[in-house]
Amino acid sequence: MNRLFVSLFIILLSSISAFAETARHNLIFFIADGLRPGLVAPETAPTLARLMAQGVRFSNTHSMFPTFTTPNASAMATGHKLGDTGDFSNTIDAGFQVPGAGDSLTPFLESDPILGDVDEHYSGDYLNQDTVMKAAREAGLSTASIGKLGPALIFDHTERSGEQTVIFDDSTGRPGGIPLSQEIKRRLESVGLPLEAPSRGENSKAGDFQNQGALQSNDVQQSYFVNVTTKVILPKFKEAKRAFMLVFWSRDPDGTQHNQGDSLNRLIPGINGPTTLKAIRNADNNLADILSAVKSLGLEETTNIIVASDHGFSTISKESATSFAAMQNYKDVSKGLLPPGFLAIDLAHALNMPLIDPDAKYQPVSLGEHPKRSNGLIGGDKITPRLVVAANGGSDLIYIPDGDRYLAKRVVEFLSTQDYVSGLFVSENLGKIAGTLPLSNIDL
């Protein structure tokens, strides 16, 4: 009995020791926004390829919702599906007029002020779920989230003081951005880094039907974020002698893929063009610099690295042979192509209901015009619309505020005739509608 007790005691001590060692480890979560695993190879992304060869693979990651950033960020940040968080896409029907979005009912959530507004409206936490970074912070870890506007803040969106979790994104140093603590400001100044994050510059130019988009990856802005990470945040965390959690959300390749100018009015080379390859290499270089800093600071043995992508990407055509909107003339759209807001325009026309623009002070949308940000309120008025279209550029959300099942069937019947529609998923609250699948089939 004594020998058995001694053996069990030794095993227990070993387990406690192993747990204590694990508990001291740090975590760096690196997300390459919009990166497709199939494009990770030694010649395109040597750092990521090396990690994948060593076993750090993200080939099984997938979107929670096809295929936008903030819903996937909400899932990564909380571990909850979208039915819990309510963050169904980058643009949603918020259920109220959001001040930071110009009082729009359909805000674009990649914004620090807008995230603050929706938090305030929904009892301080619009996701209604604790994030893993909040849990880490409350457990005594040092925490920081750096990179793309929106998802960077989502990881600890209820802590907006800058005194606990350090946040750096596009709005850092600008009105509406999360403030920096005095200590962080001093550290930035000591290494010669500005207090204001640089803009995306040329990389932010999306182009239009006449002008080429970006031909440059997001190098300057992301170089700043990497320098902040390696010269300010990681040294600070090492000095604190506490375990830490750091998120680095790389806007590339996603931001560049959205704006790439390689295919003006053409489908080839599309998303596989040279500008996208620059963006993938840019993200890869960012990761390499962070890993190098971890090693030089002596943190390599105690730091775990998780690499993920939030969603993939595709090249799309804007042609349609069935759309009423595509048959109209617009000053900023090539003849025959779908204009911004085509779904709202088509639905309003098919239902013979007026269309107003929630992002243009709720002005009516006339023939030959399109909604400013593609969103639309159809029928009723700005307080009680019959339909709300929250456009997201590929997977749009249609809300029926009063739950009218007959109206839902009319919407489905019309959409089923359009060549730009593939899957139609409908809330079970609206009943079974032929030609659709329930939202529960995709865990929404």
Side-chain angles (χ1 to χ4, degrees):
M1 288 293 292
N2 286 342
R3 282 197 298 270
L4 178 60
F5 175 78
V6 170
S7 298
L8 288 173
F9 187 65
I10 291 172
I11 292 170
L12 180 61
L13 283 177
S14 299
S15 299
I16 292 173
S17 176
F19 176 78
E21 182 179 353
T22 302
R24 289 198 300 268
H25 276 217
N26 314 305
L27 172 64
I28 294 178
F29 189 15
F30 184 93
I31 303 98
D33 200 308
L35 176 62
R36 292 158 288 156
L39 279 184
V40 174
E43 59 273 18
T44 57
T47 305
L48 284 163
R50 186 177 73 253
L51 287 178
M52 291 180 76
Q54 294 171 351
V56 183
R57 305 188 64 83
F58 65 99
S59 54
N60 289 330
T61 62
H62 63 86
S63 298
M64 297 299 294
F65 176 87
T67 180
F68 301 97
T69 293
T70 65
N72 296 311
S74 77
M76 290 178 180
T78 67
H80 282 262
K81 295 178 180 179
L82 310 187
D84 288 343
T85 67
D87 190 334
F88 285 99
S89 203
N90 286 349
T91 301
I92 61 172
D93 175 0
F96 72 105
Q97 295 181 11
V98 181
D103 291 330
S104 174
L105 190 69
T106 51
F108 183 64
L109 293 175
E110 290 183 9
S111 160
D112 292 345
I114 289 173
L115 288 173
D117 287 339
V118 292
D119 272 340
E120 181 180 359
H121 184 82
Y122 291 106
S123 304
D125 184 352
Y126 86 104
L127 296 178
N128 197 34
Q129 307 292 339
D130 285 344
T131 66
V132 65
M133 184 166 282
K134 178 184 178 183
R137 168 169 56 81
E138 292 181 344
L141 277 71
S142 299
T143 49
S145 190
I146 299 165
K148 183 179 178 180
L149 183 65
L153 179 58
I154 283 173
F155 272 84
D156 201 2
H157 59 101
T158 61
E159 205 304 281
R160 301 176 64 90
S161 71
E163 297 293 333
Q164 298 181 68
T165 293
V166 182
I167 302 290
F168 276 86
D169 59 24
D170 305 53
S171 293
T172 295
R174 296 182 170 86
I178 305 302
L180 300 174
S181 69
Q182 291 303 313
E183 179 192 1
I184 292 295
K185 289 180 180 179
R186 287 193 297 270
R187 287 178 177 269
L188 287 169
E189 291 168 351
S190 70
V191 295
L193 290 174
L195 304 183
E196 181 178 296
S199 70
R200 294 170 62 190
E202 291 294 316
N203 182 256
S204 67
K205 294 183 178 179
D208 55 34
F209 75 114
Q210 291 178 321
N211 301 291
Q212 217 168 10
L215 297 175
Q216 180 61 50
S217 52
N218 192 30
D219 297 354
V220 174
Q221 187 185 70
Q222 293 196 194
S223 177
Y224 172 79
F225 290 144
V226 168
N227 283 330
V228 165
T229 302
T230 59
K231 297 179 181 180
V232 175
I233 304 301
L234 288 176
K236 168 182 162 58
F237 284 174
K238 181 179 180 180
E239 290 173 21
K241 297 181 179 179
R242 295 188 295 173
F244 65 80
M245 177 183 180
L246 185 148
V247 170
F248 190 96
W249 196 293
S250 169
R251 183 184 289 276
D252 265 345
D254 176 83
T256 299
Q257 290 175 152
H258 275 292
N259 291 348
Q260 60 87 13
D262 298 335
S263 298
L264 179 61
N265 295 325
R266 293 182 295 119
L267 296 179
I268 298 175
I271 209 60
N272 293 318
T275 305
T276 289
L277 295 180
K278 290 179 188 176
I280 293 172
R281 179 55 68 93
N282 184 38
D284 193 77
N285 290 340
N286 293 164
L287 178 58
D289 289 343
I290 292 170
L291 294 178
S292 176
V294 168
K295 185 174 182 178
S296 66
L297 288 167
L299 299 171
E300 188 175 35
E301 295 302 316
T302 57
T303 301
N304 299 325
I305 309 291
I306 297 176
V307 178
S309 174
D310 57 334
H311 59 72
F313 225 92
S314 63
T315 306
I316 62 169
S317 167
K318 294 186 177 181
E319 297 173 324
S320 173
T322 61
S323 168
F324 167 80
M327 299 174 188
Q328 310 311 304
N329 296 314
Y330 308 90
K331 62 182 179 181
D332 56 350
V333 180
S334 294
K335 181 73 173 177
L337 297 187
L338 293 166
F342 64 89
L343 180 60
I345 295 170
D346 283 351
L347 277 172
H349 177 260
L351 297 171
N352 194 28
M353 294 181 182
L355 171 64
I356 60 176
D357 187 348
D359 302 301
K361 301 186 183 301
Y362 299 92
Q363 293 298 307
V365 179
S366 303
L367 194 65
E369 297 177 346
H370 58 73
K372 180 180 179 181
R373 296 182 63 89
S374 300
N375 307 306
L377 309 185
I378 299 172
D381 54 37
K382 69 177 185 179
I383 305 299
T384 56
R386 299 295 309 282
L387 293 174
V388 178
V389 176
N392 285 278
S395 299
D396 289 357
L397 307 179
I398 302 171
Y399 296 81
I400 303 179
D402 64 3
D404 186 332
R405 292 189 173 196
Y406 176 67
L407 180 57
K409 290 181 179 179
R410 291 180 64 195
V411 168
V412 167
E413 287 170 0
F414 166 71
L415 292 177
S416 298
T417 68
Q418 296 302 296
D419 57 10
Y420 54 73
V421 174
S422 55
L424 289 169
F425 298 88
V426 178
S427 168
E428 284 89 336
N429 293 334
L430 294 170
K432 293 183 178 180
I433 304 178
T436 72
L437 291 169
L439 281 173
S440 58
N441 278 20
I442 50 175
D443 277 335
L444 298 180

